[in-house]
Amino acid sequence: RKEVEQDPGPFNVPEGATVAFNCTYSNSASQSFFWYRQDCRKEPKLLMSVYSSGNEDGRFTAQLNRASQYISLLIRDSKLSDSATYLCVVKSSNTGKLIFGQGTTLQVKP
Amino acid sequence: DTAVSQTPKYLVTQMGNDKSIKCEQNLGHDTMYWYKQDSKKFLKIMFSYNNKELIINETVPNRFSPKSPDKAHLNLHINSLELGDSAVYFCASSQDSIRPEAFFGQGTRLTVV
């Protein structure tokens, strides 16, 4: 079983749609959680950290459920520029490693 | 100012050659990493250094040798390149355990022919 699992998609949605990505992780000792965004042929960039209380940054909302070992990202009012691959990332407190999911591809269509 | 910079951006080389990729960060971070992203887009950690000390060494062939002359630099040397080494290699850095999020360089696209 992969340490961090995501549905690879692709998710094809129209502009203005709301889309949600899910991620599960296997190591209960994980301590830090992030969503990264990677555009085609570019480096991954931090989108937002994920906190147990849930956090919001504009149109983006991240949630963490430690009991279920589940992380989500909600994007409201999708823009064409949101088209990218979204990577779920977990930091292990055991090893200190950042473990990346394989990413979920989002394509927003006009 | 580029926070994490790596060179070269593209590298095409023949099997059996030895090559190096350089990485520098000007963020004052303590920890630096090398990641490999294969054709299936999985990002896998290869090495991690903290203040010039190796702290993570994944199951990577010993043809790959990282070197950290100081905490702002982490270079990757690859001996006897093989076709399967073709991938994008990303350097990254993070501040410390309190601020663990990583910042990535633009990547080095290595093609072995």
Side-chain angles (χ1 to χ4, degrees):
Chain A
R1 185 186 169 189
K2 296 190 185 82
E3 289 188 72
V4 179
E5 296 216 51
Q6 294 181 249
D7 179 350
F11 283 58
N12 295 303
V13 303
E15 268 187 292
T18 295
V19 61
F21 305 137
N22 302 320
C23 168
T24 56
Y25 60 96
S26 59
N27 185 349
S28 59
S30 301
Q31 60 176 177
S32 303
F33 309 89
F34 310 95
W35 283 101
Y36 276 71
R37 170 191 169 133
Q38 186 172 24
D39 292 290
C40 188
R41 301 179 79 86
K42 297 283 189 183
E43 73 272 23
K45 291 185 179 175
L46 179 66
L47 180 66
M48 57 198 302
S49 301
V50 187
Y51 305 113
S52 297
S53 53
N55 48 300
E56 193 173 302
D57 183 1
R59 297 180 293 109
F60 298 82
T61 300
Q63 296 275 358
L64 167 64
N65 184 323
R66 283 189 186 269
S68 303
Q69 294 179 203
Y70 171 94
I71 305 161
S72 66
L73 177 68
L74 183 77
I75 306 176
R76 289 181 299 279
D77 188 23
S78 300
K79 310 288 184 198
L80 295 176
S81 57
D82 293 335
S83 298
T85 297
Y86 291 84
L87 301 161
C88 177
V89 185
V90 170
K91 184 184 179 197
S92 166
S93 58
N94 296 343
T95 65
K97 288 191 292 187
L98 286 177
I99 309 295
F100 284 75
Q102 72 174 98
T104 298
T105 299
L106 172 66
Q107 187 68 42
V108 181
K109 308 274 190 193
Chain B
D1 281 345
T2 305
V4 182
S5 59
Q6 55 183 109
T7 55
K9 190 172 179 182
Y10 299 98
L11 186 53
V12 180
T13 188
Q14 289 188 325
M15 280 174 59
N17 282 351
D18 302 339
K19 290 293 178 186
S20 292
I21 308 172
K22 295 186 176 181
C23 180
E24 176 182 4
Q25 54 96 2
N26 62 6
L27 297 166
H29 287 171
D30 289 338
T31 305
M32 294 185 73
Y33 312 85
W34 278 109
Y35 282 84
K36 178 180 179 180
Q37 189 168 42
D38 59 25
S39 56
K40 293 183 181 174
K41 307 298 182 188
F42 268 107
L43 260 169
K44 291 183 183 173
I45 190 166
M46 300 172 69
F47 302 103
S48 174
Y49 272 71
N50 186 272
N51 274 317
K52 303 193 299 174
E53 299 292 326
L54 179 66
I55 55 171
I56 293 173
N57 184 349
E58 289 297 285
T59 310
V60 176
N62 58 15
R63 298 182 293 106
F64 290 78
S65 52
K67 278 206 171 60
S68 182
D70 55 62
K71 77 172 195 176
H73 295 83
L74 181 61
N75 304 323
L76 183 65
H77 188 76
I78 316 170
N79 288 328
S80 303
L81 278 154
E82 299 177 359
L83 293 176
D85 297 333
S86 297
V88 182
Y89 292 84
F90 286 102
C91 176
S93 71
S94 62
Q95 184 171 336
D96 50 36
S97 57
I98 299 173
R99 292 291 302 274
E101 55 267 32
F103 295 85
F104 284 79
Q106 62 185 9
T108 296
R109 188 170 293 273
L110 171 66
T111 304
V112 183
V113 297

